[in-house]
């Protein structure tokens, strides 16, 4: 059983045995070729007896025309009984003498030529090339032969070959060349011979060899030929045909070899009783006059384990696809896989090559990688709003875990501003340590020993009816702890935080109500013992079970009412909102012990838990609580924890674990620079985040964002100077013409030597490196050159940094396309009235080309 | 939609051995057995061929883009034992430098981080690695690590310049890291560092049982550790991790595939590792919070279809 792909129809193949030819079509059907690949048997031809070989016509025909060679040398054309617009079906080619057909090959370009190999006969040729369109039946020789023939169909027979070669010789193999259609190579009587059919009297080239079997020319490189004998495979080059270039030794006898039609220098070899096909990737190069040893990479393909292969066929067009057949007729469709190189690009394109194609994948989903999210955030202006840091939190609204960070930054910044204002007005230096966390604020030494001495005071309720409890009458008084530092901590938590000079608590409650955060407002009111206010808030809120909760609250008295408490405890468990639950927990728990309020899950937001703890826990307990909480949040990389750690070493650790978990270096870098200057600025982790984020912005071509980021760093920490990133280079020496620090000292003499030594009109009209003149202004024709920028090196006072050395009009500018330009003021005047270049003879439409709009459109 | 897939017909006459997008992802360079390098402009899903670079005398194995601060520069290496550096000036690509000091096929080429200047590493079948660098005045120089991998070096990859365990100079500024990793036919992954202007072996990572086909040093975006991925003919991908404190590298097998693993590539944040194997699949891997590597997506190149992996992503 042998297999052949159709040379013209990519989904057709045939199989043949001694007695039948079967036509198949792939895609679906009952014959499984591979996992998920099937084929259907469309037709069969069992009329031709003793089939020796089959060849599929390379002509693009409607039908599937095949030539079938038989044991008596006849070749019969068949199209499996399909209708056709030609009369080729059934045509026969009859050699003079009856001898077995050895092979059949259609010419790949001259589709009417069919080469037939015949067994040795002393009076006849061994290679007959038939013209399938030759006249049939008419000549006398055929009529004569008909008399001796048993066949009755010889009316449609061709008996005279177009070309005959090799009288009395033995032919074993044959191959047409693919680019020279008149030429072929054949294995004949111990030689490989190359013929041209226009002059078939003698071979053009020949080589003495045993390897006369299976000769085949590489369809992609005509000079490369392979053939075999027994277990040797010989590789030939027609340009030096005397001896094989290379011989490959196999351990078993070779059955068949064939070049891959889609990949140069790729030879498939099938050995006897083998379950694998070996693929040799042969690279042979002549470099200059030097010949490199060919490199052979060997791969094996195993269509099915433990199942030997009797024949295979390369697919003519699909890259690296093979069809194999086992001795018992089992077919396998095999794909030989190539090495696929991969590349990830910064803009979320991911490409890989496969054969001769490149496949490009573009990721859009933020879930795939945080970098996509980071880029989108950067485009939305995330982190660039220094005026009100809370605006940055709005840019990441749907990511609540970032909220804690930005609200802490906002409050911390406000407090800093207030402190600075107060210290200015009072003339006393501020004692406030910037960007401090609650834990470090209360215990700066990070230990509870010797720190914090809080006052304990007994406090009373304000009841719904407006009355206040009486401390002496209360049978279980509530103790509240206060100290100046605790008040500050409450400020950081936002509980005692005067933003707009309103009563801090009432202001907070009002703003929470406006935002619709009623549960939180009610809870904060309650924790501040304003039970009436809490009831009011809940009644207004129109919450699903708000009224019931309000009722329950309203009924609260501080007497140990067992029934009320029990009911509250039950109701508590049915509440999902952490704030409503916390309220009941608070009311019903033992006043000495508020653990449940702080630990029950789901719990209130970190800032509310901390604020609560700062009011009701004694020093020892508060320390324990804050220590454990900050440790927990740090480990989880929860940014809410920044409230506790602040911009401390611990804060950096928290950010690091946040980065470890999320890879969000954007937020980490932004948090770090918003806290600047602070003790953590010098931490290498922070500089790594900042640098990495800048690199990311650059690689996304978000240069505006990156510049703004740099500017922001400078604003927040004036110690940071971002080095110059663009230079103007001299046409002659290629060095920068800018007067930077190192050049400044050398440049100054030239600045003075221009004759205009007044401070305001300093000029440097030549390159500081090679001293050649700078180009001239195309309007005034003076040499360009102005001291520009803020000239840091001349100024001692940082306040002078902003002052430019010369006015903008004197700076020079130029068109990015034609490179003509001049003083900014001149050029600006010119382009108010013109759209083309001021240099005569230059046809550049500078103004239309160099629009800012175009640039920004391109950067998208 | 998770992703948009797009197939580019490169018009190469033979198999493509490498395809690399430039720093911004706007240019694509491919190289092939047809001895050519092709450069494409990639914009909004459209690819335009802008240049054919002919100069190699055999198959071209790899291409690499230099950082854009040096201009448009490509390095290529091939079977002809050459490394060619190409530069574009006003739309025309020309050879800038040809390095031909290898005795056998050059298999891999990689530009160093830009902080180190215009420097590239090349790995060859002659077993050596060359570090070729521009001296800044238009000429080039090279240093060679002879006998880096017996039988041959298959891949080289540079460490990111900004690394958590970078050395600090006197002024307290970070010095850029100057290290590279290589993989070879001796089944080894080796890390090299420059010491007193000589390249010396820093680490030898043993773990593979067959030829190492590709190595890739992960970009360390904000992470306090160094990560290297290597893949081999032994069908395994190994992730090597160094926590930054000591020079200890721990290994973890990402996955044992059914076939040879040819190539690896990290995403720019180092969060996703792409793997291509002899089973004709490209798969994307991500480490979850438990430290397990999970396949997030499988791409079958034949069909160009994407099938989502374990942690399903809706498409």
């Amino acid at each position: 059983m042998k297999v052949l792909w159709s040379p013209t129809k990519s989904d057709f193949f045939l199989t043949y045995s001694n007695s039948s030819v079967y036509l198949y079509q792939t895609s679906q059907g009952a014959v499984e070729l591979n996992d998920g690949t099937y084929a259907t048997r469309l037709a069969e031809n069992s009329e031709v007896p003793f089939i020796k070989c089959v060849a599929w016509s390379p002509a693009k025909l409607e039908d599937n025309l095949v030539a079938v060679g038989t044991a008596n040398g006849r070749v019969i054309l068949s199209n499996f009984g399909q209708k056709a617009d030609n009369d080729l079906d059934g045509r026969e080619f009859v050699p003079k003498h009856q001898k077995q057909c050895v092979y059949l090959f259609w010419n790949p370009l001259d589709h009417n030529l069919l080469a037939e190999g015949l067994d040795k006969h002393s009076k006849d040729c061994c290679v007959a090339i038939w013209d399938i369109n030759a006249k049939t039946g008419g000549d006398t020789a055929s009529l004569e032969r008909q008399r001796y023939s048993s066949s009755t169909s010889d009316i449609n027979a061709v008996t005279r070959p177009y070309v005959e070669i090799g009288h009395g010789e033995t032919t074993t193999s044959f191959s047409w060349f693919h680019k020279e259609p008149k030429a072929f190579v054949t294995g004949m009587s111990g030689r490989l011979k190359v013929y041209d059919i226009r002059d078939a009297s003698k071979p053009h080239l020949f080589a003495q060899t045993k390897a006369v079997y299976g000769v085949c020319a590489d369809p992609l490189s005509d000079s490369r030929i392979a053939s075999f004998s027994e277990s040797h495979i010989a590789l030939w080059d027609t340009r030096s045909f005397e001896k094989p270039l290379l011989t490959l030794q196999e351990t078993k006898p070779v059955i068949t070899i064939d070049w891959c039609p889609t990949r140069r220098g790729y030879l498939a070899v099938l050995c006897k009783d083998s379950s694998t096909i070996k693929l040799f990737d042969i690279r042979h190069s002549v470099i200059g006059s030097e010949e490199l040893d060919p490199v052979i990479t060997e791969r094996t393909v195993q269509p099915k384990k433990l199942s030997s292969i009797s024949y295979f066929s390369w697919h003519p067009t699909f890259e690296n696809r093979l069809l194999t057949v086992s001795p018992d007729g089992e077919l396998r469709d095999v794909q030989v896989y190539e090495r696929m190189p991969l590349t990830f690009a910064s803009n979320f394109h991911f490409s890989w090559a496969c054969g001769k194609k490149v496949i490009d994948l573009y990721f859009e989903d933020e879930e795939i990688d945080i970098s996509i999210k980071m880029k989108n955030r950067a485009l939305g202006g995330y982190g660039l709003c220094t005026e009100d840091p809370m605006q940055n939190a709005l840019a990441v609204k749907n990511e609540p875990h970032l909220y804690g960070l930005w609200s802490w930054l906002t409050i911390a910044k406000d407090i800093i501003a207030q402190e600075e204002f107060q210290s200015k007005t009072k003339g006393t230096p501020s004692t406030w340590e910037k960007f401090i966390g609650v834990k470090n604020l209360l215990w700066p030494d990070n230990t509870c020993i010797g720190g914090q001495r809080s006052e304990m005071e007994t406090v009373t309720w304000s009841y719904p009816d407006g009355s206040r409890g009486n401390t002496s009458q209360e049978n279980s008084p509530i103790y509240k702890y206060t100290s100046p530092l605790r008040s500050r901590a409450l400020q950081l938590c936002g509980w005692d935080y005067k933003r707009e000079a309103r009563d801090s608590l009432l202001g907070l409650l009002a703003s929470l109500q406006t935002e619709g955060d009623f549960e939180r407002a009610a809870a904060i009111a309650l924790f501040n013992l304003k039970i009436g206010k809490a009831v009011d808030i809940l009644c207004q809120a129109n919450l699903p079970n708000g009224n019931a909760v309000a009722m329950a609250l309203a009924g609260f008295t501080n007497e140990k009412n067992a029934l009320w408490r029990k009911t509250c405890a039950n109701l508590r468990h049915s509440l999902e909102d952490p704030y409503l639950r916390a309220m009941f927990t608070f009311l019903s728990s033992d006043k000495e012990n508020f653990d449940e309020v702080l630990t029950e899950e789901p719990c209130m937001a970190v800032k509310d838990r901390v604020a609560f703890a700062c009011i009701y826990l004694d020093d020892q307990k508060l320390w324990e609580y804050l220590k454990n909480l900050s440790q927990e949040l740090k480990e989880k990389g929860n940014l809410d924890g920044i409230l506790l750690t602040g911009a401390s070493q611990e804060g950096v650790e928290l950010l690091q674990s946040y980065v470890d978990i999320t890879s969000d270096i954007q937020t980490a870098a932004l948090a770090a620079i918003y806290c600047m200057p602070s003790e953590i600025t010098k931490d290498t982790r922070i500089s790594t985040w900042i640098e990495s984020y800048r690199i990311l912005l650059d690689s996304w071509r978000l240069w505006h964002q990156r510049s703004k980021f740099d500017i922001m760093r400078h604003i927040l920490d004036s110690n940071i100077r971002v080095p110059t990133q663009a230079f103007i280079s001299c046409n002659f020496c290629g060095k920068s013409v800018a007067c930077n620090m190192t050049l400044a000292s050398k440049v100054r003499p030239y600045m003075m030597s221009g004759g205009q030594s007044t401070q305001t009109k300093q000029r440097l009209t030549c390159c500081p490196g090679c001293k050649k003149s700078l180009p001239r202004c195309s309007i005034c024709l003076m040499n360009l050159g102005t001291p520009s920028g803020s000239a840091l090196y001349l100024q001692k006072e940082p306040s002078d940094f902003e002052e430019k050395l010369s006015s903008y009009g004197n700076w020079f500018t130029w068109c990015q396309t034609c490179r003509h330009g001049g003083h900014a003021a001149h050029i600006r005047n010119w382009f108010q009235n013109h759209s083309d270049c001021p240099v005569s003879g230059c046809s550049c439409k500078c103004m239309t080309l160099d629009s800012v709009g175009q640039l920004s459109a391109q950067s998208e | 939609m998770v992703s948009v897939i797009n197939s580019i017909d490169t018009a190469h006459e033979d198999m493509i051995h490498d395809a690399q997008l430039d720093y911004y992802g706007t240019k694509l360079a491919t190289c092939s057995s047809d001895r050519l390098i092709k450069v494409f402009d990639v914009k909004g899903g459209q690819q335009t061929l802008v240049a054919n670079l002919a100069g190699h005398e055999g198959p071209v194995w790899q291409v690499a883009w230099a950082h854009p601060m040096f201009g448009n520069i490509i390095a290529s290496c091939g079977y002809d034992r050459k490394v060619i550096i190409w530069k574009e000036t006003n739309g025309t690509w020309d050879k800038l430098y040809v390095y031909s000091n290898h005795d056998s096929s050059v298999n891999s080429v990689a530009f160093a981080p830009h902080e180190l200047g215009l420097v590239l590493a090349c790995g060859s079948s002659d077993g050596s690695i060359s570090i070729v660098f521009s001296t800044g005045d238009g000429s080039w120089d090279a240093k060679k690590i002879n006998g880096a991998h017996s039988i041959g070096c298959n891949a080289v990859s540079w460490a990111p310049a900004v690394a958590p365990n970078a050395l600090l100079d006197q002024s307290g500024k970070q010095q850029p890291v100057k290290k590279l990793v290589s993989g070879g036919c001796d089944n080894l992954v080796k890390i090299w560092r420059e010491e007193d202007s000589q390249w010396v072996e820093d680490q030898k990572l043993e773990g593979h049982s067959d030829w190492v086909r590709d190595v890739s040093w992960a970009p360390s975006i904000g992470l306090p550790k160094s990560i290297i991925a290597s893949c081999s003919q032994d069908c395994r991908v190994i992730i090597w991790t160094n926590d930054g404190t000591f020079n200890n590298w721990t290994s973890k097998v990402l996955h044992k595939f059914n076939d040879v693993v040819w190539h690896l590539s990290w995403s720019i944040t180092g969060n996703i590792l792409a793997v291509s194997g002899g089973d004709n699949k490209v798969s994307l891997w991500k480490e979850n919070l438990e430290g397990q590597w999970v396949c997030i997506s499988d791409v079958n190149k034949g069909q160009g279809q994407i099938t989502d992996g374990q942690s399903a992503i809706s498409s």
Side-chain angles (χ1 to χ4, degrees), chain B residues 17-95:
Chain B
H17 297 294
D18 200 12
Q20 289 297 324
L21 287 154
D22 74 339
Y23 185 75
Y24 299 120
T26 55
K27 291 193 181 71
L28 174 72
T30 57
C31 62
S32 152
S33 274
D34 67 6
R35 304 172 176 211
L36 288 180
I37 296 150
K38 286 174 187 265
V39 183
F40 298 85
D41 261 344
V42 188
K43 233 176 230 165
Q46 293 288 310
Q47 297 77 31
T48 329
L49 178 70
V50 290
N52 273 317
L53 315 186
H56 279 286
E57 296 169 86
V60 192
W61 299 135
Q62 276 193 4
V63 282
W65 288 92
H67 190 274
M69 71 180 281
F70 303 107
N72 284 327
I73 291 181
I74 290 176
S76 60
C77 65
Y79 179 69
D80 61 1
R81 304 179 286 186
K82 282 182 191 153
V83 176
I84 304 182
I85 298 166
W86 312 80
K87 187 173 172 46
E88 186 233 49
T89 339
N90 299 324
T92 318
W93 286 87
D94 289 305
K95 282 184 198 172

Side-chain angles (χ1 to χ4, degrees), chain A residues 287-340:
Chain A
I287 289 155
S289 56
E290 209 178 342
E291 201 165 301
L292 291 189
D293 285 340
V295 167
I296 296 167
T297 322
E298 188 184 311
R299 287 182 70 182
T300 54
V301 178
Q302 188 170 41
K304 195 178 179 185
K305 278 189 184 133
L306 307 169
S307 164
S308 70
I309 305 166
S310 60
Y311 202 75
F312 72 88
S313 169
W314 283 108
H315 195 282
T317 49
F318 284 15
E319 280 179 9
N320 299 345
R321 186 172 170 188
L322 284 162
L323 191 61
T324 65
V325 63
S326 69
D328 52 2
E330 193 186 356
L331 296 161
R332 300 301 284 179
D333 188 357
V334 187
Q335 180 79 37
V336 186
Y337 302 127
E338 295 283 10
R339 295 167 56 161
M340 293 187 286

Side-chain angles (χ1 to χ4, degrees), chain A residues 780-796:
Chain A
C780 70
L781 301 181
M782 299 289 281
N783 283 104
L784 294 168
T786 32
S788 66
S790 51
L792 305 173
Y793 52 91
L794 294 177
Q795 314 293 339
K796 293 211 170 56

Side-chain angles (χ1 to χ4, degrees), chain A residues 401-693:
Chain A
H401 59 282
L402 296 180
Y403 234 80
L405 171 75
W406 290 108
S407 60
W408 170 74
L409 274 171
T410 310
I411 294 171
K413 201 168 167 268
D414 275 359
I415 294 176
I416 291 167
Q418 281 173 22
E419 288 289 325
E420 278 173 0
F421 177 75
Q422 279 175 13
S423 71
K424 251 185 201 166
T425 49
K426 288 180 193 157
T428 54
S430 169
T431 51
W432 182 255
E433 195 187 328
K434 288 172 177 179
F435 298 106
I436 195 167
V438 169
K439 187 161 77 87
N440 299 47
L441 171 74
L442 298 176
W443 287 279
D445 304 328
N446 210 13
T447 163
C448 77
I449 299 160
Q452 263 302 306
R453 289 274 184 275
S454 304
E455 304 280 324
M456 187 177 82
E457 55 182 274
T458 316
V459 287
T460 58
W461 293 98
S462 342
Y463 288 111
D465 58 6
S467 69
R468 292 181 71 89
N470 183 326
T471 33
S472 56
Q473 287 172 1
E474 305 272 347
N475 49 12
S476 73
I478 301 167
Y479 300 109
K480 182 176 163 177
Y481 298 86
T482 55
S483 76
L485 289 177
R486 281 186 188 233
S487 321
R488 294 222 145 167
L490 286 175
Q491 279 189 329
L492 281 174
C493 296
W495 276 30
D496 182 17
Y497 162 51
K498 304 180 186 70
R499 203 168 186 190
E500 280 150 15
R502 278 182 294 184
D503 176 294
S504 54
L505 182 63
L506 287 179
L508 172 69
L509 297 181
S511 70
L512 286 175
Q513 280 175 279
T514 335
E515 287 160 26
D517 206 351
F518 298 103
E519 292 92 340
R520 190 167 165 232
I524 292 174
L526 183 75
F527 298 151
N528 282 286
L529 305 179
K530 299 189 186 311
I531 203 163
K533 183 73 187 166
V535 171
D536 282 353
I537 293 170
L538 288 172
C539 287
Q540 287 162 21
N542 196 21
L543 295 168
N545 41 16
N547 286 340
V549 176
M551 279 291 290
L553 280 187
F556 172 76
T557 60
N558 204 20
E559 277 131 48
K560 294 258 179 197
N561 183 330
L563 180 65
W564 189 91
R565 287 195 173 207
K566 208 177 143 200
T567 321
C568 267
N570 287 339
L571 176 63
R572 196 178 98 198
H573 293 293
S574 68
L575 294 169
E576 279 174 15
D577 185 90
Y579 286 94
L580 297 182
R581 283 175 74 133
M583 285 159 79
F584 281 102
T585 314
F586 177 62
L587 290 175
S588 57
S589 61
D590 180 5
K591 295 294 176 281
E592 293 295 307
N593 188 354
F594 293 113
D595 286 0
E596 279 192 327
V597 179
L598 294 169
T599 53
E600 209 173 38
E601 291 295 333
C603 205
M604 301 181 291
V606 168
K607 55 185 171 186
D608 295 320
R609 274 187 266 171
V610 171
F612 182 90
C614 284
I615 297 174
Y616 294 109
L617 296 190
D618 65 36
D619 285 352
Q620 182 62 35
K621 276 189 177 170
L622 182 62
W623 159 251
E624 292 290 330
Y625 178 71
L626 294 185
K627 191 179 71 175
N628 294 337
L629 182 64
S630 76
Q631 186 62 29
E632 180 196 329
L633 296 173
K634 196 168 78 185
E635 278 163 15
K636 286 183 181 164
N638 184 333
L639 288 180
D640 291 341
I642 205 90
L643 170 69
L644 295 170
T645 65
S648 63
Q649 206 52 40
E650 253 191 304
V652 181
E653 282 161 28
L654 187 148
L655 284 173
Q656 181 65 60
S657 72
Y658 170 73
V659 170
D660 286 351
I661 290 166
T662 61
S663 297
D664 179 7
I665 52 149
Q666 181 180 43
T667 299
L670 290 169
I673 69 162
Y674 271 84
C675 295
M676 278 180 181
S678 66
E679 55 159 307
I680 57 169
T681 317
K682 288 203 174 69
D683 194 292
T684 54
R685 285 172 287 190
I686 287 195
S687 47
T688 310
W689 298 330
I690 292 174
E691 276 318 302
S692 304
Y693 184 47

Side-chain angles (χ1 to χ4, degrees), chain A residues 264 283 290 293 295 337-341 343 346-347 354-356 358 360 362 364 368-370 656 663 698, chain B residues 2-4 6 8 10 14-17 19 23-25 33 79 222 262 269 271 276 278 280 286 301:
Chain A
R264 197 186 298 249
R283 303 194 179 276
E290 209 178 342
D293 285 340
V295 167
Y337 302 127
E338 295 283 10
R339 295 167 56 161
M340 293 187 286
T343 174
S346 55
N347 57 355
C354 170
K356 296 170 195 168
V358 171
D360 179 59
Y362 175 55
E364 290 175 319
I368 293 252
D369 191 21
I370 182 93
Q656 181 65 60
S663 297
D698 273 344
Chain B
V2 172
S3 40
V4 180
N6 182 17
I8 305 161
T10 58
D14 207 333
M15 187 190 160
I16 299 169
H17 297 294
Y23 185 75
Y24 299 120
S33 274
Y79 179 69
W262 295 118
T269 47
N271 285 335
S276 85
N280 206 37
K286 206 171 181 175
K301 79 96 206 177

